[in-house]
Amino acid sequence: MIIDWLTGTAFEVAGTGTTWAELLGFATGVLNVWLVARQKIANWPIGIANVLLLMLLFWTAGLYADAGLQVVYVALGCYGWWHWLFGGERRSRLTVSRTGRREWLALAAAGALLTGGLWVLLDRATDSTVPLPDALTTALSLLATYGQTRKRVESWWLWIAADLIYIPLYAYKGLHLTAALYLVFLALCVLGLRAWRADLRRADRSSVVPPGPARVTA
């Protein structure tokens, strides 16, 4: 059965078994973030495969919020796939943009509610040993994914914040390869942020009207 194979041990790291799901999640995760940084539409199907693998991995590790989050990621992946293709002007391909002040306020409120609600739920309804960091990273990841579906450049900052928590969290839970994966994610997020900001600067320069009288065309 494929689930038995995926949850089977591929090799050991520091005396802890690494499953095939974690190994394949590592590979598809790195490829996915690299494709996002380069604004390649193929990141969405690769990302969907990645989150299905991580869903299995996190559930078996007792990271229930992270496991449930992957279900939401599948839906967001389908939406992001469509929105990158048709979310621009006149249903054209989407371009990189900035997050507005009103949008930031809505995201901050949603993040606080998500973190608080998930923290209480995980603490009271599950045997999670890390309810607060699990809840916080879940909220940050959802907000970052929302920004990614709309090509908001600031979504990279949210991913960077989440990764800085994920790395020690996964190491604590014995998911050493996944912790290493998120270290790679952190580096890729910095590169993605630089690439998207450069793309945004090019778009800003191209939209600037040069000084001087307007040119009249026949």
Side-chain angles (χ1 to χ4, degrees):
M1 191 174 179
I2 190 167
I3 292 180
D4 293 334
W5 177 76
L6 287 171
T7 55
T9 301
F11 56 87
E12 291 189 355
V13 177
T16 302
T18 297
T19 66
W20 285 105
E22 188 174 2
L23 182 61
L24 292 172
F26 183 104
T28 54
V30 170
L31 179 58
N32 172 240
V33 178
W34 182 79
L35 290 169
V36 174
R38 295 177 63 84
Q39 299 185 52
K40 300 296 185 182
I41 199 71
N43 87 84
W44 294 109
I46 295 295
I48 290 170
N50 174 253
V51 299
L52 290 173
L53 288 165
L54 293 181
M55 183 193 307
L56 178 62
L57 174 68
F58 294 150
W59 186 265
T60 56
L63 293 168
Y64 304 115
D66 270 344
L69 176 61
Q70 307 312 308
V71 178
V72 181
Y73 277 157
V74 172
L76 286 173
C78 294
Y79 169 75
W81 195 347
W82 178 88
H83 203 254
W84 274 36
L85 284 172
F86 306 111
E89 292 185 11
R90 299 180 182 179
R91 297 179 66 83
S92 61
R93 285 201 174 221
L94 195 64
T95 57
V96 177
S97 59
R98 296 183 177 88
T99 306
R101 181 178 297 180
R102 184 176 297 179
E103 194 173 19
W104 267 125
L105 291 173
L107 290 173
L113 289 172
L114 276 169
T115 301
L118 286 171
W119 183 12
V120 171
L121 177 65
L122 291 170
D123 186 51
R124 297 183 179 179
T126 75
D127 60 353
S128 174
T129 59
V130 285
L132 178 57
D134 196 4
L136 179 57
T137 51
T138 298
L140 284 171
S141 298
L142 280 171
L143 298 181
T145 302
Y146 162 81
Q148 182 183 317
T149 65
R150 306 186 71 83
K151 278 196 181 181
R152 301 295 195 230
V153 68
E154 293 84 4
S155 64
W156 289 110
W157 287 113
L158 294 174
W159 279 126
I160 288 168
D163 289 347
L164 288 172
I165 303 171
Y166 272 132
I167 293 166
L169 175 61
Y170 290 147
Y172 172 76
K173 296 296 289 186
L175 301 173
H176 301 292
L177 186 60
T178 302
L181 168 63
Y182 275 76
L183 190 60
V184 175
F185 280 171
L186 181 61
L188 288 173
C189 284
V190 173
L191 294 177
L193 175 63
R194 293 180 62 185
W196 282 29
R197 289 177 68 179
D199 192 64
L200 199 55
R201 285 194 297 270
R202 284 193 294 270
D204 288 343
R205 284 196 298 267
S206 66
S207 64
V208 172
V209 178
R215 183 175 298 175
V216 179
T217 58

